[in-house]
Amino acid sequence: MPSLEQQYLKNYNIKDYELPLTTVDMCIFSIINQQLHVLLLKRNSFPEKNKRALPGGFIDLKKDSNIEATAYRQLLLKTGIQCPYLEQVESVGSQSRDPRGWSLTILYFALIDIQTIDQKLSPQSDWYAIKEAQKMPLAFDHAVLLTKAFERLKSKTCYTALPIALLPQKFTLTELQTIFEIILEKKLPVKSFRLRVQTAKVVKATGQTKISGKRSAQLYESTGLTADFYFPRPLQR
Amino acid sequence: MPSLEQQYLKNYNIKDYELPLTTVDMCIFSIINQQLHVLLLKRNSFPEKNKRALPGGFIDLKKDSNIEATAYRQLLLKTGIQCPYLEQVESVGSQSRDPRGWSLTILYFALIDIQTIDQKLSPQSDWYAIKEAQKMPLAFDHAVLLTKAFERLKSKTCYTALPIALLPQKFTLTELQTIFEIILEKKLPVKSFRLRVQTAKVVKATGQTKISGKRSAQLYESTGLTADFYFPRPLQR
DNA sequence: AAAATAGTGTCTCTTAGACATTATATA
DNA sequence: TATATAATGTCTAAGAGACACTATTTT
């Protein structure tokens, strides 16, 4: 004989309740040509057909065992890459953000190094410089989402070494500093930047050097402490 | 003649898609008897009947125009209060967290001063000290949610003046420091704490004093900068 | 006066930021 | 050798943390 709880669950029907349309949207950031870029897709179906949108889509209750799985699936689908830095930003939901009805999106951002993926993007997707993307009329409330994700990235750049995820495995400290400067949209003092990352042990020298411009530079790599390391003092905004 | 997009929306039926069960759950924090407490409800229906759970519930697509509205509605329903500090923590969703099916919750935390509400709680709800609550077998994954919310509170206590929201409008600096110490579970140096909050201008003296113990103390109040102010240097964890 | 709580003085240490200087590679 | 880029030296300022000290109230 089934328990009361088993009976309850047997009779429970999800379709009896009205639920919000739930999606996962992603800001995939990468540095291209010394500028922060974001991946946008041109929508080829209604609603908001032909407008640019953040990559994303519905949670697939069959395929995705949790929301992060949805995010990784979308990322793989759109960029062909498997394991970048992924972070949940926040969830935005309202009656009005999608004409199809009450809808909710869980916003993530990803940091990738575009050089390390040779995968060709779908013809619908393209990289846009943040500043350009923020001027374009994006689908739904994606302009707001983009700003939220960008703000989070800027904010975390002030107190973590997160931007390392935007570089190839080996990089020079000048390259790293440049990435920080691109994100924060301001110059940083060389000496204290180097002291900061080196005393924090978020990078270690590889012994190798890189000859790109004039004098060759030391190549560094992440120590792997990046994800959870917080600098003792944040950079000024 | 309707446009193609209008036709698409007319034929669009939400019920054609499988959607996650979406709820908003809340950690309502308050200081009682010099300890951080959280409001828990005893569930009186399946599933997880009779277990303690965080207050929360389904988004009401008719009543709630956005997710924050759901959070405020739940808060009013459970505590009778209207305008405390409310912050979204994160969203957690998976196949397995609820026996009814794929479910998603958007987790918020609220900070209230229990003294300022004379509202009686429903007989199902009760305050538990964090340490006690973390030892109890909570419904669903609410133990994990509780820990996430507590972690966020601790973390923000290190670089903002957020705990002010746990106090009545007027308070002494010693009271404020005590709240910080309760949350961070460690003693703080008196001199630098006072310097910190005063130079940051997150509190201002009211001119009034409070006679509670021996020597009377100055009463301060929030300057309202609390929400977005970040101290230039975080407290150590 | 004693005790308890409120509040200040002063020192050290760390680290961001400013700015000058040196080092090393290429052309 | 000139030049550009890489990297270091040295100083200042701000603020956290430690610890000793003073102030004010009640009993």
Side-chain angles (χ1 to χ4, degrees):
Chain A
M1 196 181 118
S3 74
L4 274 173
E5 177 154 17
Q6 283 167 335
Q7 283 176 43
Y8 162 85
L9 288 172
K10 198 178 163 197
N11 295 325
Y12 185 86
N13 188 354
I14 286 179
K15 305 253 168 163
D16 292 346
Y17 301 88
E18 278 203 292
L19 293 165
L21 288 163
T22 308
T23 56
V24 170
D25 288 318
M26 315 237 304
C27 271
I28 307 169
F29 291 120
S30 192
I31 302 286
I32 301 171
N33 201 22
Q34 300 290 74
Q35 281 186 299
L36 187 65
H37 281 62
V38 62
L39 190 72
L40 296 179
L41 257 74
K42 190 168 183 180
R43 287 183 61 82
N44 53 16
S45 54
F46 292 121
E48 305 272 23
K49 189 169 173 176
N50 294 322
K51 278 197 187 165
R52 305 280 169 182
L54 297 175
F58 291 97
I59 297 170
D60 186 321
L61 305 198
K62 298 281 185 301
K63 289 186 195 161
D64 307 328
S65 67
N66 55 50
I67 12 174
E68 205 154 272
T70 310
Y72 277 114
R73 187 171 52 77
Q74 292 292 340
L75 191 69
L76 187 63
L77 211 66
K78 264 73 183 198
T79 68
I81 52 164
Q82 298 239 5
C83 228
Y85 181 83
L86 198 62
E87 173 174 328
Q88 196 186 113
V89 180
E90 78 170 87
S91 298
V92 176
S94 79
Q95 219 162 40
S96 55
R97 58 181 296 280
D98 188 314
R100 287 167 291 189
W102 221 109
S103 84
L104 174 74
T105 189
I106 302 133
L107 176 65
Y108 279 81
F109 78 79
L111 301 182
I112 65 169
D113 167 35
I114 190 67
Q115 320 304 338
T116 56
I117 33 168
D118 46 355
Q119 174 89 12
K120 282 199 184 56
L121 295 174
S122 81
Q124 303 293 350
S125 40
D126 221 335
W127 294 99
Y128 293 86
I130 286 284
K131 295 295 151 195
E132 296 310 310
Q134 286 183 322
K135 283 180 205 153
M136 296 168 64
L138 302 187
F140 310 109
D141 56 357
H142 287 197
V144 174
L145 302 185
L146 174 58
T147 300
K148 280 180 193 286
F150 182 36
E151 261 310 305
R152 171 72 65 90
L153 174 60
K154 276 205 234 181
S155 152
K156 289 201 88 168
T157 298
C158 286
Y159 59 91
T160 72
L162 205 53
I164 288 177
L166 288 163
L167 285 171
Q169 213 207 328
K170 288 172 186 171
F171 49 85
T172 69
L173 292 189
T174 304
E175 284 167 349
L176 184 59
Q177 181 172 346
T178 303
I179 301 288
F180 270 73
E181 292 173 343
I182 289 168
I183 295 168
L184 297 177
E185 300 170 288
K186 64 175 260 189
K187 282 277 171 189
L188 296 172
V190 189
K191 186 64 203 293
S192 39
F193 181 82
R194 300 173 82 94
L195 201 67
R196 185 176 162 92
V197 295
Q198 288 183 106
T199 58
K201 298 215 173 75
V202 288
V203 296
K204 60 169 184 278
T206 59
Q208 298 171 276
T209 55
K210 180 179 178 178
I211 318 104
S212 57
K214 298 282 178 175
R215 175 175 169 181
S216 66
Q218 290 290 315
L219 276 170
Y220 289 79
E221 60 185 7
S222 170
T223 53
L225 298 171
T226 319
D228 46 309
F229 183 80
Y230 287 52
F231 288 102
R233 295 192 208 171
L235 298 172
Q236 306 281 314
R237 280 297 284 275
Chain B
M1 195 180 117
S3 75
L4 274 172
E5 177 154 18
Q6 283 167 336
Q7 282 176 43
Y8 162 85
L9 288 172
K10 197 178 164 196
N11 295 324
Y12 186 86
N13 188 355
I14 286 179
K15 305 251 168 161
D16 291 348
Y17 301 88
E18 279 203 292
L19 293 166
L21 288 162
T22 307
T23 55
V24 170
D25 287 320
M26 316 236 304
C27 272
I28 307 170
F29 291 121
S30 193
I31 303 286
I32 300 172
N33 201 24
Q34 299 290 73
Q35 280 185 300
L36 187 65
H37 281 62
V38 62
L39 190 72
L40 295 179
L41 257 74
K42 192 167 183 182
R43 287 184 61 83
N44 54 15
S45 54
F46 291 122
E48 305 273 22
K49 190 170 173 175
N50 293 324
K51 278 198 187 163
R52 305 278 170 185
L54 296 175
F58 291 96
I59 297 170
D60 186 321
L61 305 199
K62 298 282 185 296
K63 286 187 198 161
D64 306 328
S65 67
N66 55 51
I67 9 174
E68 205 153 274
T70 310
Y72 276 114
R73 186 170 54 77
Q74 293 291 342
L75 191 70
L76 187 64
L77 210 66
K78 262 75 183 197
T79 67
I81 51 162
Q82 298 240 4
C83 228
Y85 181 84
L86 198 63
E87 174 174 327
Q88 196 187 111
V89 179
E90 79 171 87
S91 298
V92 176
S94 79
Q95 218 160 42
S96 55
R97 56 182 298 278
D98 188 314
R100 288 167 291 189
W102 220 109
S103 85
L104 173 74
T105 189
I106 302 134
L107 176 65
Y108 278 81
F109 78 79
L111 301 181
I112 66 170
D113 167 36
I114 191 67
Q115 320 305 336
T116 56
I117 33 169
D118 47 354
Q119 175 88 11
K120 282 201 181 56
L121 296 173
S122 82
Q124 303 292 350
S125 41
D126 220 337
W127 293 100
Y128 293 86
I130 286 284
K131 295 294 151 197
E132 297 310 312
Q134 286 183 321
K135 283 180 205 151
M136 297 169 64
L138 303 187
F140 310 108
D141 56 357
H142 286 196
V144 174
L145 302 185
L146 174 58
T147 299
K148 281 179 193 285
F150 183 36
E151 261 309 305
R152 171 71 66 89
L153 174 60
K154 275 205 230 179
S155 152
K156 289 202 87 167
T157 299
C158 286
Y159 59 91
T160 71
L162 206 53
I164 289 178
L166 288 162
L167 285 170
Q169 213 207 330
K170 287 172 188 172
F171 49 86
T172 70
L173 291 189
T174 303
E175 284 167 348
L176 184 59
Q177 181 171 347
T178 304
I179 301 289
F180 271 73
E181 291 173 344
I182 290 168
I183 296 169
L184 297 177
E185 301 172 285
K186 64 174 260 188
K187 282 278 172 190
L188 296 173
V190 189
K191 188 64 205 293
S192 38
F193 180 83
R194 300 174 81 94
L195 202 68
R196 185 176 161 91
V197 295
Q198 289 184 103
T199 58
K201 297 213 174 76
V202 288
V203 294
K204 60 169 184 279
T206 59
Q208 297 171 277
T209 55
K210 181 180 179 177
I211 316 104
S212 55
K214 298 280 177 177
R215 175 175 169 181
S216 66
Q218 290 291 315
L219 276 171
Y220 289 79
E221 61 185 5
S222 169
T223 53
L225 297 172
T226 318
D228 47 311
F229 183 79
Y230 287 51
F231 287 103
R233 293 191 207 171
L235 298 172
Q236 304 282 315
R237 281 298 285 275

